[in-house]
Amino acid sequence: MRNLQLNSHGELQHLLTIEGLSREMLIAILDAAAPFTEVAEREVKKLPLLRGKSVFNLFFEPSTRTRTTFEIAAKRLSADVINLNIDASSTSKGETLLDTVDNLAAMQADMFVVRHGSSGAPHLIAEHLLATGSDHIHVVNAGDGRHAHPTQGLLDMYTIRNYKKDFTGLTVAIVGDILHSRVARSQIHALTTLGVPEVRVIGPKTLLPTSVERLGVRVFHDMREGLRGVDVVMMLRLQNERMQGALLPSPQEFFKSYGLTLEKLALAKPDAIVMHPGPMNRGIEIDSAVADGPHAVILPQVTFGIAVRMAVMSMLAGG
Amino acid sequence: MKIHIKNGRVIDPAMGIDRIADVYVARGRIVAVDQAPQGFETNGSVDATGCIVCPGLVDLAVRLREPGYEYRATLESEMAAAAASGVTSLACPPDTDPPLDEPGLVEMLKHRARNPKFAHVYPVGALTLKLAGQRLTEMAELAEAGCIAFGQANTAIVDTQVLARAMQYAATFGFPVWLQAQDPFLAKHGVAHDGEVATRLGLAGIPVAAETIALATILQLARETGAQVHLTRISSAAGLEMIAAARRSGIFATCDVAIHHLHLCDHDIGNFSPHARLDPPLRSQSDREALRHGLADGTINALCSDHTPVDDDAKQMPFGEAEPGATGIELLLPLTLKWAVEMKLPLPQALARITCDPARILGIEAGSLAVGMPADICVFDPHASFRVTRESLKSQGKNTPFLGMELQGKVRCTLIDGHLAHDGSWA
């Protein structure tokens, strides 16, 4: 069976997940992103690469940051951008996900940027486009359920490469709610594919998925032990709803065990960088002193995110 | 109607028969095997050369979708599928809409199913009203209307006191209780086996403990109440081991497995294929191996199709939102044969799991070619192959993870009470 993400020439057709993409492909995306970071510093921040193309942002789950960065990226490439925030109400009107897709395909869309609460929704769309002969439309996964958030994973890799140059000697720790995190899954696949020799995940047993070590990571429950000697600390957002129920006793207790403080960060390498996909919960997963401190590269992540998304979109639809 | 089935390889696991022989049918019953009875004049004959003649198949789980889900399937569509599959007796779970919780509904179903070309229908009545797990149904009345057992389909009785009383009450009258072992709390929001695949795909998991914990409860209550328990759709090696241990300690419980769990595992979810969204979930490779061996050695008593036609709209959804279940009745025989070939099992042993063994669980007069038995007969060509496609399926449900597969075993003709219900000899 052909990889759904690649066309018959082995080129990127959709970006659905980092899993299964080659190291060369990931490097090519990171390389392509580099020139776009300079565009942002120009007076005129536009390139004509997607001129005349229609990019539909299909957001079935609320998001401000990701949607905005995709919108900026598409606009800087001169695409026409249409934002559709589709909440549960339109599903209750009876239109299915694939009905929506068919309708937008009929409007001569060139690209769908999809955010959906269910794992696998972008795969379903890509398979449907293939089955209905509309696979000239590209699908970019902007986050599906707990499954994947590939552009986030890529922008994180861009950030790491920017500060650390080489992946092959690094120790990287991912901290927090791995279980529910699509970001963590994409990070793990990207890091292991790019040759990072040691990827660690740190969290309580309630927030680590079953058999997570099979993804090629070392599991730590003690944050201090897990942070020892790392080059990169990747914090994850703890969603508010996880703090209710039986996963955790309280945000305070989570912070005590798994919040990143200066004291815990001191166990990492002196030049370690601290990343966070945002939005941050200060005082829950990360202390303000760290978030605003010299090790944090959280705002550069956002800037690089636009360049990486421009690179992905231009590789897919830039001709 | 007198029918002479000639020259086939007659396999009757119940009688230990496996030889080339002729079978004679008259007045809806089997009147002789090998030699024609004196004065037998045939009205019609079936040439079964190169084919296997076995008892009509008995399927322990076929959703006919009536009443309530006629947009998914109708009695007509699914009975045509049954006849074409060699299935002559089937049990249908109570998860219709409304559920089979009052005698009128059961009578209506039995009435609608009264057609000489239709398989015998054995409804499993709801154990609790609306399957809600709170109040008992009128089991004695339902039994009079035709229910052969009582169950909850895929829903659990959360309140263990209600479960205990339901089992006690059923045991009072000797009614079998059919239960699916899945703890609703541990399975909450889960859509796939809690393992590496679910972790990789970001799907909420259902741990094996959801099955074993529910099994522990049910088996203990079976011991306490003396209820005759049948456990439906076992999915894990650990669950199977518990059932075997319970039997060794004297608890009476039978169990079945579905064709999907016998042949597939969580890896078959692939790229979020909604066809692999099943309840219980497809488990790990080692679980599947245990189920395949458990069915062979008889720890699992029967194999069923767990036939669940689902309309395309409810299936073409992201994996977790898709309706669970797969159409399966037409694959019961081919997938039994595939299992037998792969496990190097003698055919009579394999066919027992879809004929006499499930008939025993149902307590019905079926599943054997003994003289005097109803003439429910399946004649099939074990080597004829076909590709599973939407078009090749007679069931209204086209949802199966086996789409595109090449399988062996085609039914040539099906007799129900001596009537030719399906004649595919020229197909």
Side-chain angles (χ1 to χ4, degrees), chain A residues 19 118-119 147 185 210 214, chain B residues 194 196 199-202 321:
Chain A
E19 187 180 13
S118 283
S119 301
H147 171 237
R185 285 173 177 77
T210 304
R214 300 290 286 272
Chain B
D194 190 25
E196 187 191 346
T199 290
R200 205 164 48 74
L201 296 178
E321 296 171 43

Side-chain angles (χ1 to χ4, degrees), chain A residues 15-16 57-59 61 63 66-67 70 112-116 122 139-145 148-152 182 309:
Chain A
L15 180 62
L16 307 175
N57 278 332
L58 298 182
F59 278 63
E61 201 183 63
S63 153
T66 302
R67 205 209 64 212
F70 268 106
F112 293 141
V113 176
V114 182
R115 160 72 62 97
H116 200 288
V139 180
V140 178
N141 182 0
D144 62 325
H149 194 349
T151 58
Q152 178 71 46
R182 52 192 169 215
R309 285 170 181 131

Side-chain angles (χ1 to χ4, degrees), chain A residues 26-43:
Chain A
L26 300 189
I27 297 283
I29 296 170
L30 300 185
D31 287 347
F36 291 121
T37 56
E38 291 153 25
V39 175
E41 280 143 34
R42 292 189 207 160
E43 185 111 24

Side-chain angles (χ1 to χ4, degrees), chain B residues 67-310:
Chain B
Y69 297 106
E70 287 83 355
Y71 59 97
R72 290 194 164 146
T74 62
L75 214 59
E76 284 74 18
S77 65
E78 302 321 288
M79 285 303 190
S85 318
V87 172
T88 55
S89 297
L90 55 88
C92 49
D95 52 353
T96 49
D97 182 21
L100 299 178
D101 62 359
E102 56 165 285
L105 292 165
V106 177
E107 279 157 12
M108 176 56 93
L109 179 62
K110 293 282 283 186
H111 176 75
R112 289 262 295 124
R114 207 165 291 142
N115 178 320
K117 292 202 165 191
F118 284 4
H120 307 288
V121 171
Y122 297 98
V124 177
L127 192 58
T128 59
L129 281 174
K130 300 189 190 313
L131 299 173
Q134 287 164 357
R135 296 179 54 203
L136 305 191
T137 53
E138 296 171 330
M139 291 183 218
E141 296 278 333
L142 284 163
E144 244 169 64
C147 291
I148 44 81
F150 295 91
Q152 286 283 116
N154 296 30
T155 54
I157 295 179
V158 178
D159 184 330
T160 42
Q161 189 180 54
V162 174
L163 179 61
R165 287 181 178 159
M167 290 169 74
Q168 271 175 335
Y169 189 77
T172 309
F173 301 95
F175 300 142
V177 178
W178 290 23
L179 295 168
Q180 189 139 323
Q182 184 161 286
D183 182 86
F185 296 106
L186 283 170
K188 194 160 60 179
H189 307 311
V191 297
H193 169 62
D194 190 25
E196 187 191 346
V197 172
T199 290
R200 205 164 48 74
L201 296 178
L203 298 171
I206 301 176
V208 165
E211 180 163 292
T212 52
I213 285 173
L215 271 176
T217 305
I218 294 167
L219 291 168
Q220 279 305 313
L221 289 175
R223 186 200 298 279
E224 298 294 322
T225 61
Q228 183 187 331
V229 171
H230 177 68
L231 298 152
T232 63
R233 314 312 100 76
I234 290 302
S235 74
S236 71
L240 194 56
E241 182 43 49
M242 284 176 74
I243 293 169
R247 280 195 201 136
R248 287 194 293 273
S249 77
I251 297 173
F252 183 82
T254 52
C255 67
D256 68 57
V257 66
I259 47 175
H260 308 101
H261 297 77
L262 198 64
H263 288 283
L264 305 174
C265 66
D266 57 353
H267 285 272
D268 291 292
I269 294 171
N271 278 334
F272 301 97
S273 170
H275 288 318
R277 169 102 165 84
L278 300 170
D279 182 12
L282 292 170
R283 296 211 178 269
S284 72
Q285 257 171 297
S286 56
D287 288 311
R288 175 180 59 181
E289 285 316 302
L291 296 175
R292 290 163 73 86
H293 284 94
L295 185 65
D297 68 25
T299 311
I300 301 176
N301 307 81
L303 176 61
C304 71
S305 71
D306 200 20
H307 181 70
T308 309
V310 176

Side-chain angles (χ1 to χ4, degrees), chain A residues 61-219:
Chain A
E61 201 183 63
S63 153
T64 311
R65 184 171 308 217
T66 302
R67 205 209 64 212
T68 307
T69 53
F70 268 106
E71 186 175 349
I72 293 168
K75 284 184 169 164
R76 287 194 182 157
L77 293 168
S78 311
D80 296 314
V81 182
I82 299 94
N83 287 317
L84 288 136
N85 295 323
I86 307 155
D87 59 15
S89 66
S90 70
T91 335
S92 63
K93 279 179 204 147
E95 188 171 75
T96 67
L97 172 61
L98 296 182
D99 281 338
T100 306
V101 166
D102 286 339
N103 273 283
L104 298 175
M107 296 177 200
Q108 273 77 39
D110 295 290
M111 188 182 295
F112 293 141
V113 176
V114 182
R115 160 72 62 97
H116 200 288
S118 283
S119 301
H123 279 79
L124 182 76
I125 293 172
E127 271 173 4
H128 180 71
L129 291 173
L130 187 64
T132 54
S134 299
D135 56 329
H136 54 277
I137 303 174
H138 304 278
V139 180
V140 178
N141 182 0
D144 62 325
R146 305 175 180 184
H147 171 237
H149 194 349
T151 58
Q152 178 71 46
L154 287 165
L155 79 87
D156 291 336
M157 297 310 111
Y158 190 95
T159 309
I160 293 174
R161 191 169 76 160
N162 184 72
Y163 292 98
K164 298 290 169 194
K165 309 304 173 205
D166 182 19
F167 289 101
T168 58
L170 298 179
T171 303
V172 179
I174 304 172
V175 187
D177 181 3
I178 315 286
L179 175 65
H180 300 97
S181 179
R182 52 192 169 215
V183 173
R185 285 173 177 77
S186 285
Q187 288 169 338
I188 292 167
H189 291 308
L191 291 165
T192 53
T193 305
L194 288 167
V196 171
E198 183 158 328
V199 181
R200 302 176 178 176
V201 294
I202 305 173
K205 289 187 175 186
T206 47
L207 296 179
L208 293 172
T210 304
S211 309
V212 67
E213 66 284 351
R214 300 290 286 272
L215 300 181
V217 297
R218 272 184 75 186
V219 176

